[in-house]
Every structure is written in structure tokens, then in C-alpha cells.
Amino acid sequence: MPYKVKDLGLAQEGRKLVDWAEAHMPVLMGIRESFIKEKPLKDLKIAAVLHVTKETGALVKTLAYAGAEVWLAGSNPLSTQDEVAAYLAREGINVFAWRGESNDEYYWCIEQVAKSEPNIILDDGADLHAYLHGKLPEIAERLWGGTEETTTGVIRLRALEKEKRLKYPVIAVNDSLTKYLFDNRYGTGQSTIDGILRATNVLIAGKRFVVAGYGWVGRGIALRAKGMGAHVIITEVNPIRALEAVMDGFEVMPMDEAAKVGDIFVTATGDVNVITGTHFQLMKEGAILANSGHFNVEINVKELERVSVSKEEIRKGVTKYTLKNGRNLYLVGEGRLVNLVAAEGHPSEVMDMSFSNQALAVKYIKENKGSMLKKVYTLPKEIDEEIALRKLHSMGYRIDKLSEEQAKYLSSWEVGT
Ligand code: NRN
């Protein structure tokens, strides 16, 4: 049974972690009940590159309960929870993932799941999509379709589509409202702070907390930092998002200025080199740097090394850089996505919706096989709203229904003043 994990002996611990996640993912568990009955993915082969966390464990088990053979690799060399990987391997999932993979090992794991000749793939960050398009085009051409979890991955896939090189239909799970409005905002908002606190244990209250990027992720981080008493500063390149940040009551300034005053810096732009050499040299003694973007390109670590005379792992997951100007800076999680590297990623309750979208997207691709075009889709609004309604019910909330008369009024133009 092909798999490669750190230590199968961790499986029991992994079961407890996944049980904990499943106890907080009622919408996905409801979908699992129907999958067990209908077996909608019977005899399918599914390859997934996702962060191997307890919540991903709940998702891939759900796909297996639906009748699929599942292959899984990690979507970051440092985000795998080894106990979960061990548990999934014991449960019959073909897992190739361990925390601390080298770059070559990371792509070896992706190669294993890509070569499984899947019918449908799930991805987070589009490294599997890119690998198939670049290295295994013959397998890519036979795919029924794929999904994409995160903003960065959807951007890469839309670029492929624009160049007319997309080899199969893709559902941008990230673009479901019940994904990005909750996972990107409230999930990353909490899990970023969680990662910084687990790694550094610093006080957030009173600190000048610089957030680069005011998208849904940056918005969530700013909200949570503000809630904990930080003085939040936003940096942006997009005038509309910057204006929103101003009107939301946050300080807004260029990174060149923020670098001089910030105590904690978090990048959430999805772009490269947001914090660079000049910024590092302007920073105060003891400034803390963390990245919440998918790839580790937002904080220019190579330049940080260049302007430093020494570095030392001062705490687990925290590297102390002593600069030539004598000041010290602290980088969390090697500049990789801090929420998954220094903590456990988003809480299960918010991944409940993201992964319900993933499970239903896979079913959607299977049901619409052959009639979808080679483009990037968003799931139908009905599915989005059904997930939101089930989530509300699971939290004990009820809402009103439109009456006939109201529905008619909203869809008419005749009635005026
Ligand atoms: N706990 C998690 N398990 C988790 N937290 C955040 N993510 C997770 N994936 C599995 C992903 C979010 O959906 C990371 C992606 O970049 C983001 O879209």
C-alpha cells in the first residue's frame, strides 16, 4: 500500500486530532452521511495536494467514504501534521507527506500523487495543477477536472486559462462566498495571530501591527489584531482597498514609513518582495516578521540574510537575525505561511465550509463530466447558499424565508413610488 509518512506509530494521536476536527465540522459530516449512502465517487481515483491537517483528514476520509481511492500530498513542506498523515495512511489513504520535507522531497510527493492517474484532483496553491501541466501533460489531458482551494492558486489557474493552456475544467473553491468570506477573513484572521502567539508568546495589545495587503485575508488579520488592542497599520498598492482600510479606521502608509514604526509585520498580499532589504534596515530593535501568504516570497529572506551578520533559532520556529546595523529582527516560520507552520491552520469550524465546498465541487465535476469547458468555474450559488444555511442551523440559528409577494416584488420592475 503506497505511502510515505514520518512515523506510522503516530496514527493513534492522529485519529484523536481528526476526531476533534470532525466534532467541529457538522456541515461536512452531514455531506459525509449522504456520501456514505449514495457513494457518488465510487471507483474514482482522486489526487489531492492540500495542507495535511486534521481538517484535511476529515475531508479526505469523506471522499474515501464516498467510494473514492484517495492519494494525498502536502501543499507546503512545513505544514504537515505528522500524526494526521500517519492516521490517514493507516486508514488506507495513499499519503506522501511529512513535516520538514526538502524542496526535492516536496515535489517527489507531488509526483507520487500525480502519477496515480487520477480522475479528479484537489489542490491548494496550484503546485499540482502546474506539475501536471508542465511534467505530465498526458495525465492532465485525461483529467475530468480539478478544484483549487486558495486565492494564489486561482490566480495561477486564471493565468493558464488566459493563455488558453488549461487542460481540464477547474472549480475555484476559493471563490465560493462560503469559502473566502469566512476562511480567508475569519480563519486566517484568527490562525495568523494563533501562529504568532504560539511561536513568540508576545503581547499583541499596544503593539504597532503592520499588515501588508487589505484583501479578505489582510482584512481578517487587521480585525483580529485590532480586537486584541493592537494599533493596526495597513500598507497597500490598490487605492480602493487602501481607502477601505482608512474608512475602516486603520492607519495607512507606505511600507517605507511603516518599517520605521512597526513592532509586528504580517504580509498577506499574494505578491513577491513586499518586505525587502531597505525595509529590514529601517526596522526597530526586536521587530517580528511573519507571512500569511501561500508562498514564502513576500518577505525577502535572501535579502534579510544579506543584511545580517548572524542568525540563530532563538525559539522553536523563530529565527533571530542580527543585522549589520546592530539591531535584531525575528522571523517566524522561515517566512512560510505562519498559521499552518507555527499553529494548526484555521479552526475546524471555518474549514467546515471550505471543505464542504471542496467535497461538493468534486461531486459536481463527476456529475458534469464531459459537459464542462476547460475554464475556471465558481460553484453554483445554490450550493453556496445551502452550505451557509446548514452552517447557520448547526450553530442554532434560524432565518426568515421570502414570501411569494416579496419574491415577486424583488423580481419585478413595475412597482415604484
Ligand atoms: N486547518 C487547515 N487545513 C487550513 N487552514 C487554512 N488552510 C487550511 N487547509 C487545511 C488553507 C485555507 O483554505 C490554506 C489555504 O491557503 C487557505 O485558502
Side-chain angles (χ1 to χ4, degrees):
M1 219 274 297
Y3 60 78
K4 184 168 173 46
V5 297
K6 175 138 309 172
D7 171 5
L8 214 48
L10 297 170
Q12 190 54 10
E13 271 314 298
R15 181 193 57 75
K16 288 184 206 165
L17 285 168
V18 175
D19 283 354
W20 179 258
E22 292 177 349
H24 296 84
M25 300 173 86
V27 180
L28 183 64
M29 292 304 107
I31 291 168
R32 178 185 286 184
E33 286 313 304
S34 60
F35 278 15
I36 288 171
K37 286 194 201 84
E38 298 156 21
K39 294 273 184 241
L41 307 179
K42 190 164 167 26
D43 301 332
L44 260 66
K45 202 180 288 183
I46 292 177
V49 168
L50 297 167
H51 297 288
V52 181
T53 63
K54 58 189 187 299
E55 292 75 19
T56 294
L59 171 62
V60 297
K61 276 178 63 185
T62 301
L63 299 176
Y65 275 118
E69 176 185 312
V70 183
W71 295 63
L72 174 68
S75 53
N76 183 287
L78 296 179
S79 63
T80 292
Q81 291 165 12
D82 289 316
E83 302 85 349
V84 173
Y87 168 60
L88 293 174
R90 198 187 69 184
E91 292 294 295
I93 307 288
N94 301 320
V95 195
F96 298 84
W98 57 93
R99 180 169 287 237
E101 293 162 2
S102 69
N103 215 40
D104 290 348
E105 290 167 332
Y106 172 74
Y107 280 101
W108 178 83
C109 292
I110 289 184
E111 182 187 10
Q112 305 317 302
V113 301
K115 283 181 168 170
S116 71
E117 307 244 0
N119 305 105
I120 297 173
I121 64 170
L122 294 81
D123 203 349
D124 179 330
D127 278 342
L128 177 58
H129 289 295
Y131 188 89
L132 282 165
H133 276 81
K135 297 267 193 311
L136 297 170
E138 68 288 350
I139 293 183
E141 256 124 34
R142 288 200 294 275
L143 273 175
W144 300 358
T147 72
E148 175 50 48
E149 174 75 8
T150 205
T151 313
T152 295
V154 173
I155 290 169
R156 294 177 79 184
L157 288 160
R158 289 202 192 285
L160 257 178
E161 179 187 12
K162 197 156 167 259
E163 291 176 14
K164 306 226 181 312
R165 292 175 52 202
L166 197 55
K167 294 183 183 302
Y168 44 79
V170 169
I171 293 182
V173 163
N174 182 74
D175 294 359
S176 288
L177 294 169
T178 48
K179 196 272 177 182
Y180 74 82
L181 286 178
F182 303 90
D183 173 312
N184 301 25
R185 177 166 47 176
Y186 305 118
T188 319
Q190 177 167 323
S191 62
T192 295
I193 305 280
D194 187 5
I196 291 170
L197 289 183
R198 291 198 203 194
T200 67
N201 199 35
V202 293
L203 182 71
I204 301 288
K207 295 286 172 63
R208 285 181 183 77
F209 198 110
V210 180
V211 181
Y214 202 64
W216 288 108
V217 167
R219 230 160 282 195
I221 298 168
L223 255 183
R224 289 300 163 269
K226 176 184 169 190
M228 292 183 74
H231 301 279
V232 178
I233 297 167
I234 303 295
T235 70
E236 251 293 352
V237 292
N238 177 315
I240 295 162
R241 287 184 177 177
L243 185 60
E244 272 191 286
V246 168
M247 303 268 182
D248 285 346
F250 296 116
E251 262 310 299
V252 175
M253 62 184 78
M255 184 56 82
D256 288 349
E257 284 174 43
K260 295 171 195 159
V261 298
D263 299 303
I264 299 173
F265 294 80
V266 179
T267 52
T269 69
D271 209 339
V272 289
N273 300 333
V274 178
I275 300 184
T276 65
T278 35
H279 301 132
F280 299 130
Q281 297 179 84
L282 291 170
M283 286 178 182
K284 296 188 314 192
E285 168 59 33
I288 291 169
L289 309 169
N291 166 53
S292 245
H294 178 77
F295 290 121
N296 62 332
V297 296
E298 307 205 25
I299 298 171
N300 190 325
V301 183
K302 282 192 181 53
E303 285 201 7
L304 178 54
E305 306 255 346
R306 192 175 52 75
V307 300
S308 299
V309 292
S310 69
K311 71 175 186 176
E312 174 196 5
E313 181 160 52
I314 191 88
R315 285 173 61 100
K316 187 172 175 299
V318 182
T319 309
K320 173 182 173 183
Y321 285 86
T322 303
L323 273 62
K324 289 167 185 163
N325 64 17
R327 290 196 286 267
N328 298 300
L329 302 180
Y330 299 102
L331 177 66
V332 184
E334 302 177 12
R336 293 184 181 280
L337 67 180
V338 66
N339 57 345
L340 282 142
V341 167
E344 300 172 50
H346 301 349
S348 310
E349 294 93 328
V350 80
M351 295 312 298
D352 187 20
M353 290 193 280
S354 305
F355 283 172
S356 291
N357 276 285
Q358 282 283 8
L360 296 179
V362 171
K363 181 168 175 260
Y364 185 92
I365 289 169
K366 187 253 177 177
E367 288 169 346
N368 293 278
K369 171 178 166 258
S371 63
M372 294 173 78
L373 304 175
K374 294 173 182 175
K375 62 192 266 288
V376 179
Y377 289 83
T378 303
L379 272 178
K381 140 167 109 71
E382 296 69 33
I383 292 182
D384 223 346
E385 290 177 355
E386 177 62 20
I387 289 173
L389 196 60
R390 290 186 189 193
K391 191 65 178 178
L392 280 164
H393 291 166
S394 77
M395 297 167 78
Y397 290 96
R398 293 280 174 272
I399 58 173
D400 293 323
K401 267 192 188 335
L402 274 181
S403 67
E404 281 274 307
E405 178 199 33
Q406 288 173 321
K408 189 168 175 304
Y409 177 83
L410 288 176
S411 57
S412 74
W413 57 273
E414 293 88 353
V415 179
T417 41

